[in-house]
Amino acid sequence: PTLKFINFADDTTVYSIGSNMSEMHNVLTAELVRVGEWLHANRLSLNIDKTSYMIVTNKRFTEKELATFLGVTIDDRLSFNEHVRELVKRISMSTVLLNRVSTLVPLKVKLNAYYALIYFRMSYAITVWGKSSFGKRPPSSLLAPSLALDVRV
C-alpha cells in the first residue's frame, strides 16, 4: 500500500491507497505510532475531537460516515450530498439577508455582498463536489427562486 500525507496550515491528513485492507491497516497503524512519538517528543498533543478516520471502498464498510477535509464534507461513498445540503442551507440564509437589504444599498454593495456571501461558497472546491449526485443539477437550480436578487439601479 501507498502511504501519503497532505499538510495544510495546522491540519495533516494521512491516507493509504491499496487493495489489501489488512496491509493498509498495518501501514497506517505503524505510521500513527510514529506520529504519536513525534508529537510527544515535540510536546504537542493531538486534538482527538478533530481526529477521524474513514474507509472509502465500493462496499459499505466504514467507521465514520462523514468527515470534513479543508472545508468540504466528504462521506464514505464520495457522493458529497451532505456538503451540497449544507452549502444550499448557508447560501439560502445569505440570499435572505441580501434580499432584505437590496432596496437599501447601491448595486455595487449588492454585488460585493453577493461575491462575499454566495459566490465564494458556490465556487470553493467545486471541481471536487460539482459532479456529485446532488451536485449534478446546476448550482443555480439548487437555489431558485431564492437567488433572484433585486438588482435595481
Side-chain angles (χ1 to χ4, degrees):
T2 304
L3 183 70
K4 297 193 176 191
F5 288 81
I6 298 174
N7 297 307
F8 182 80
D10 64 344
D11 290 336
T12 300
T13 300
V14 182
Y15 69 97
S16 178
I17 300 171
S19 57
N20 184 313
M21 190 70 71
S22 179
E23 284 180 21
M24 289 191 318
H25 179 268
N26 292 339
V27 167
L28 283 169
T29 300
E31 190 59 37
L32 289 176
V33 167
R34 285 193 288 273
V35 167
E37 291 168 353
W38 182 87
L39 289 168
H40 180 71
N42 288 285
R43 295 188 174 153
L44 297 170
S45 62
L46 188 65
N47 186 341
I48 299 298
D49 294 333
K50 290 185 172 184
T51 302
S52 64
Y53 76 94
M54 178 183 293
I55 298 169
V56 179
T57 178
N58 58 357
K59 297 177 184 153
R60 192 86 174 155
F61 172 74
T62 185
E63 285 298 315
K64 186 167 182 174
E65 292 183 7
L66 295 174
T68 301
F69 179 69
L70 300 178
V72 177
T73 304
I74 302 170
D75 61 45
D76 60 335
R77 304 298 285 175
L78 298 177
S79 72
F80 300 96
N81 289 343
E82 188 58 35
H83 177 78
V84 175
R85 277 188 204 93
E86 184 63 27
L87 178 69
V88 169
K89 187 171 99 177
R90 288 181 179 186
I91 291 174
S92 293
M93 290 189 296
S94 296
T95 57
V96 168
L97 174 68
L98 283 175
N99 284 326
R100 285 186 181 167
V101 299
S102 65
T103 59
L104 306 173
V105 296
L107 176 62
K108 186 170 181 159
V109 172
K110 292 180 216 179
L111 288 174
N112 285 340
Y114 164 78
Y115 282 108
L117 298 172
I118 296 172
Y119 181 80
F120 92 93
R121 290 189 194 280
M122 287 178 57
S123 59
Y124 178 73
I126 195 165
T127 55
V128 173
W129 61 264
K131 291 282 188 174
S132 70
S133 57
F134 202 133
K136 285 182 182 169
R137 292 176 273 170
S140 59
S141 72
L142 298 173
L143 302 173
S146 62
L147 192 54
L149 299 177
D150 186 1
V151 232
R152 297 181 203 154
V153 182

